[in-house]
Amino acid sequence: MTTVERHSSGGPWEDAFGYSRAVRTGDRIIVSGCTAVRDGAAEHSDPAGQARSAFRTALEAVEALGGTVADVVRTRMYLVHRSDADAVGRVHAELFGDVRPAASMLVVAALILPELLVEVEVEAVVTEAAS
């Protein structure tokens, strides 16, 4: 039987909406949507800063479940404004340029808070046993 491990980052919606920041089952880690919200407020007002913050949260969750950035195989980026694509794409390249995961970037109508510009998801496959 496969063990399921769950990780909580303490984000404001995890308990309220009943989900985990990330779940590991077997060698697969799936990270929920992450934004730039820290301590209940958006950390940055610019798309690059928000992307960096959101990916930091996602990668912290991957690491908490025994993975590394090198294990990331898929990313998804949700943007409120098409004009932010280049800035968010450059942040993605800084973090994942050597890993080159499959990636999607989508423009959406809105995110959960009006000040949020970017939300990201990450999936990883870890070939080593969890620590």
Side-chain angles (χ1 to χ4, degrees):
M1 180 180 279
T2 303
T3 302
V4 176
E5 296 175 73
R6 290 175 175 78
H7 170 71
S8 174
S9 66
W13 298 291
E14 291 173 37
D15 285 337
F17 294 175
Y19 72 94
S20 296
R21 171 62 47 216
V23 175
R24 180 174 179 163
T25 180
D27 62 355
R28 188 168 180 206
I29 299 171
I30 303 166
V31 182
S32 298
C34 299
T35 64
V37 172
R38 295 268 175 161
D39 299 320
E43 219 175 17
H44 302 278
S45 60
D46 65 297
Q50 286 195 13
R52 213 171 265 110
S53 177
F55 277 124
R56 182 177 73 232
T57 298
L59 290 173
E60 287 170 354
V62 168
E63 291 169 0
L65 291 173
T68 69
V69 67
D71 297 316
V72 173
V73 296
R74 176 103 169 97
T75 60
R76 291 180 189 87
M77 295 157 276
Y78 302 94
L79 312 178
V80 175
H81 305 290
R82 161 61 184 101
S83 58
D84 294 338
D86 288 339
V88 173
R90 283 191 295 275
V91 171
H92 188 276
E94 289 170 17
L95 298 171
F96 301 102
D98 292 336
V99 179
R100 301 182 67 88
S104 297
M105 185 181 290
L106 304 123
V107 177
V108 297
L111 296 174
I112 197 162
L113 295 176
E115 61 269 27
L116 293 176
L117 305 172
V118 180
E119 184 164 333
V120 303
E121 296 175 351
V122 170
E123 295 182 33
V125 176
V126 182
T127 55
E128 304 174 0
S131 50

